[in-house]
């Protein structure tokens, strides 16, 4: 999965992610107050999910 993140400092970053729960924990430590992230399929580049600081992922992967 490819994830694009917007932080509270209005910076945007791109990450390759295997586990959304661990990635959310990483964001909490590295970018407290992060705003949202969008999840894209690595092969098709289609958006498959989006999450916010208040609407967090409940599983490690998104089932299509």
């Amino acid at each position: 999965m490819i994830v694009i993140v917007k932080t509270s400092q209005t910076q945007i970053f791109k990450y390759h992610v295997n586990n959304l729960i661990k990635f959310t924990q990483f964001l909490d430590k590295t970018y407290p107050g992060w705003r949202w992230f969008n999840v894209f399929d690595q092969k098709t580049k289609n958006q498959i999910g989006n999450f916010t600081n208040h609407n967090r992922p409940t599983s490690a992967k998104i089932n299509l």
Side-chain angles (χ1 to χ4, degrees), residues 10-58:
T10 65
Q11 296 173 310
I12 296 178
F13 297 100
K14 180 179 175 181
Y15 291 95
H16 292 269
V17 176
N18 293 323
N19 184 321
L20 294 173
I21 303 293
K22 288 184 180 181
F23 181 68
T24 304
Q25 293 169 348
F26 162 77
L27 288 178
D28 290 337
K29 290 179 186 175
T30 309
Y31 304 107
W34 58 274
R35 296 181 185 253
W36 54 260
F37 66 87
N38 293 327
V39 182
F40 297 87
D41 182 89
Q42 195 163 353
K43 292 179 183 176
T44 66
K45 309 293 189 225
N46 292 331
Q47 184 173 341
I48 57 174
N50 61 330
F51 301 96
T52 67
N53 199 348
H54 301 290
N55 177 29
R56 295 169 175 253
T58 56

